[in-house]
Amino acid sequence: MPLLAAESISKHFGGIAALVGVDLNVEPGEFVGLVGPNGAGKTTLFNCLLGILKPNRGRVFFRGRDLSRMPMHARARLGLGRTFQRLEVFSGMTVRDHFLVADRSRRKKGGLFGDLVGQGTPTRREDARAEAVGELLGLTELLDVPVDSLSLGHARLVELGRAVLTEPKLLMLDEPSSGLDRVETMEMARVLQSVQAERGTAILLVEHDLEMVSLVTSRLYVLEFGEMLATGPTPQVLAHPVVRRAYVGDVA
Amino acid sequence: MSRAVSIWPASADPIGSTKSGLVAAGTAGPGWARGNSKIVNDVVGLIVGGLALGCVYALVATGVVLTYKTSAVFNLALGAQAFTAAAVMYSLRNNLGLPLILSFVVAVLIVGPLLGLGLYVTLFRRLRNVPEAVRLVVALGVLILLPAIVQALWFGKGGNRGSPPALVLEQDKVYAWGPVSIPADQLSTILFTILVVVGLVALFKYTNLGLQMRAVVESPRMVQLAGINADRVSMISWMLSGTIAALGGVLLAPLFLSITPSNYTILLVAAIAAAVFGRLTSLPLTLVGGLALGFLQQALSRYLPSDSVLAQGLRPSLPFVVLFLLLLFWPGLRDRREVTDPLAGVDPPASSIAGTVRASKDTSKVLPLTLGTVVIVALCLLLPGIWMYRITGAIVLSTIFLSFTVLTGMAGQISLCQAAFAGAGAYGAAQLANHFNVPIMVGLLVGGLVGLAVGMLISLPTLGLRGIYLTLATLAFTLMVDQIVFPLEQVGGGPAGLEVPRPYWSGFIDFSDDRAFFLLCVAALAVAALVVWLVRRGTTGRFLDAIRGSETGAASIGINPSRAKITAFALSALIAGVGGVLLSSWQQRTSAGDFGVGNSLLWALVVIILGARTIKGALAGGFLLVLFPELLKAAGIPNPEAWQGVVFGLGTFVFVRHPEGLVDAIGGWYQRHFGRPERTTEEVRRIVTIDLSEPEPPAGNGASSPQAPYTAGVGPLPDTAGAVAGTAGGGSYRYAQAGSGPPQPPSMPAPPSFGGT
Ligand SMILES: Nc1ncnc2c1ncn2[C@@H]1O[C@H](COP(=O)(O)OP(=O)(O)OP(=O)(O)O)[C@@H](O)[C@H]1O
Ligand SMILES: [Mg+2]
């Protein structure tokens, strides 16, 4: 049984058909890529999967459960984590607080009572977990900096760390490398691979950087004008002439 | 003993003081009072009366939509603008005896547009790139400021030289054609409205300016690209809406016996209901909404039995009920994202209120704080009785204001119904004490629970509402409660109010003495402050911080935003409920207006201006609101309540520059000039931004950098630069969404964003 199964998702905005009957599967622990030209509908698909948008047609199953009527936070609790192309960081909060909040959310803390009896202050364990993630992502120096002052690339890393701390079964990343330079992108690729390998997290990666995609993903979906153009093992898909024409734009 | 913190100058005026409902309801044309013709006349009266009232609503609603669409400001001040014009008209015509035409020209054609222009230029023009919540608070401030100025300067007792003038050639004339008779003032209202509508249609259809306005409405960014000056267009639309509102205000005046701000609050809410009916975009729909509301209200005043209290409350409250229902059920309002502007995506993400309103977190040390408090409390006990009484009031009010710290400061919701929570608690406890001899000590608890229940009542249905819509819903709710529920004999004790005892329980507990009661109130405030402090630094507070920063982001890590918001509402209402019981027990009775809409608005304004994020802000608010009027009275200033409104309203001008709150602004200023240097967030931000930048000398601001749209304003390099070393590589983008937000062309309009909380 696939971890995530999206069945014929359709979404339109007024006259624009952003997604037309899209199918997508992710197996547990798999590293899958999703590529497509600008405006292909990749972000829209993510939004439909997490419940930010309601698809006009189609259904999403995750760990065997139908997500259609589930609100966003419940889907997240079930094990869907994601980062955003247009940042959704908690402005005004420090990096450490981002991680702390994610950690507490995963452990289903949040009762008023706990706060009143003084359990609100971060414990040493919580700090340790936040620092571990900070170290993994190279954010150690920035832990106590308000997120608003970070560069775009670093803010993306904060979103990644926040998602990782919720220990998702499936991590959906929307163009994590934009805002990073070459070296940082490769570093990011390494981090993602280690997250996948060590925690067994499945990853669904939207990315324009084909080098990174071919480096980390084992399977690839190609989306164009809201329709799934191709899927299969990454090297073969990338080599396919139709895909090259549609996505890369030049047929060598 | 000095009485309540009675505040809003208008709260004394009964809202239902219309001339027998409306003029049409009373005027049966001469000779048509028999048989069939009576029915015809009835129907005609209904139609004409409803039409006239609806026209006034529609006019002001048009102003609401115009300003909202062209400058993203939801202009609550239009009600005050309408009031001002009506007061000017009255003074010129009735007090100075100027000719009607001249008075009209001054009040509507001069004061109207100038007021709109003045407000835009001095306040709202700068607010394009701030969170929507800030704009809303500023508009609220003006809504309180303008009537206060008018009343403080010359219009203290409202009009007392005859009824307000109608825009007619002959007062009280009734035109009759066959069975149809129309009072002249209603006819003129209808004609004026037709004139305005025709004028607007002509403007939008046939003039270049109208075309530009329509374009700004479609997409401010597109307009900017096309080289149109959106700022000029907004300015003109503010003048236009000011004129239309002034006309509406002048036309409304003769429908009532006197000109009071509260009548104009009703007008404003009715206009908002009509604008919401038009989804804040469609002018035709808005007109229809206004007319329909007028008809409905007229029909109600005709056909509802006029003797039941419920009906009496319901009739004038219809606009609030309609607005509340529209907000809850009108499709297309909930979850409106910025999908209408095709270029919405090109802007950098809007800064959230958390980004701008970053306040300190009450970081005082516990021990000195406790000791200081004990000393001050002991000193207070030595004060003469009347001062201790007043300080007790300030403490009670501060307790109530902590409910804003939870709901507005922590959850980012601007609620205008905190007085309703407090009132619910107070009346609940008082009724129990009076009828069932329940000691007020228990009543304190009950009051809190009643407040909490009312809080649930309002928070559950409004969960889906964001930002401005939630605020409007709370405004409508307060008005409904204030007009329909609180006046009931079984609730607020009718016009006489209720006796409320001091906490006393058969010898065991006795707080009836002022000193003992003072200590009780100090204890209550301390507990409430401790709770707020613990919650804010605990998980709930952090979750709320996260939600304020990004609701989507919070939900994406499994935080349930609804649950967190309900928790905040509940806690806030609980605190307000307990505070309400204490307030009424302090005065030892309740009276009309204690928990009315006037206080609701004023409280919100004062706390937010002083600082809704901090406990200090709530304390400052409580003390200011109780002690300031006493100072004014001691200084022998006539009409202190109006002057108080003027001063607090003027606070808005400070708030525009310091949305984090005055208390924090002063604290920061003190720190900069006299305190030990301590690196503030702002400085850290600058340092980090600079560290990531190319090794160029940091000039005035970073606008010369290639990624200008994403560059935060970088000030002069502080000496501490480099303190945050090793910022892991140089990002090629610099990005910040805090503070003043990314620099943009000064006249770039902000999108009509709905997620500003
Ligand atoms: N909220 C919205 N309202 C209207 N149209 C939208 C909305 N969101 C997306 N679209 C449209 O849907 C289409 C798909 O957009 P989407 O953002 O999903 O593309 P994408 O593949 O993520 O592109 P990119 O690589 O640029 O991020 C585009 O044509 C876009 O304009
Ligand atoms: Mg995208």
Side-chain angles (χ1 to χ4, degrees), chain A residues 20-101:
Chain A
V20 188
V22 170
D23 291 307
L24 181 137
N25 289 319
V26 179
E27 300 295 330
E30 198 183 13
F31 207 142
V32 184
L34 172 62
V35 297
N38 289 112
K42 305 179 294 290
T43 302
T44 305
L45 180 58
F46 269 24
N47 287 344
C48 288
L49 295 181
L50 194 68
I52 296 175
L53 292 173
K54 231 175 119 55
N56 299 99
R57 266 189 322 114
R59 285 196 295 180
V60 182
F61 292 91
F62 183 66
R63 298 169 75 187
R65 294 182 54 180
D66 186 350
L67 297 188
S68 305
R69 296 180 166 279
M70 213 180 268
M72 211 192 316
H73 67 92
R75 299 185 195 204
R77 295 220 152 162
L78 211 56
L80 273 177
R82 82 169 272 194
T83 67
F84 298 85
Q85 185 177 5
R86 266 186 90 175
L87 288 181
E88 296 283 356
V89 291
F90 307 139
S91 84
M93 283 170 59
T94 62
V95 176
R96 191 189 296 275
D97 270 346
H98 276 73
F99 294 164
L100 178 67
V101 159

Side-chain angles (χ1 to χ4, degrees), chain A residues 65-189:
Chain A
R65 294 182 54 180
D66 186 350
L67 297 188
S68 305
R69 296 180 166 279
M70 213 180 268
M72 211 192 316
H73 67 92
R75 299 185 195 204
R77 295 220 152 162
L78 211 56
L80 273 177
R82 82 169 272 194
T83 67
F84 298 85
Q85 185 177 5
R86 266 186 90 175
L87 288 181
E88 296 283 356
V89 291
F90 307 139
S91 84
M93 283 170 59
T94 62
V95 176
R96 191 189 296 275
D97 270 346
H98 276 73
F99 294 164
L100 178 67
V101 159
D103 190 39
R104 289 209 175 153
S105 169
R106 169 179 56 84
R107 291 182 297 129
K108 303 203 170 45
K109 297 209 83 191
L112 206 50
F113 184 74
D115 293 341
L116 291 182
V117 297
Q119 292 175 352
T121 2
T123 62
R124 203 170 302 153
R125 284 188 169 181
E126 286 171 333
D127 262 343
R129 275 195 291 267
E131 268 152 27
V133 170
E135 182 157 356
L136 176 72
L137 299 172
L139 291 172
T140 308
E141 308 282 343
L142 299 174
L143 274 179
D144 292 308
V145 171
V147 70
D148 315 75
S149 23
L150 297 182
S151 68
L152 182 60
H154 284 146
R156 287 202 187 291
L157 289 177
V158 173
E159 279 200 350
L160 175 60
R162 182 178 76 180
V164 165
L165 263 168
T166 64
E167 294 184 359
K169 300 276 183 296
L170 172 64
L171 190 52
M172 308 194 294
L173 308 174
D174 201 343
E175 304 196 13
S177 82
S178 79
L180 301 184
D181 63 20
R182 207 64 236 140
V183 179
E184 288 169 328
T185 304
M186 287 306 125
E187 176 65 16
M188 160 83 79

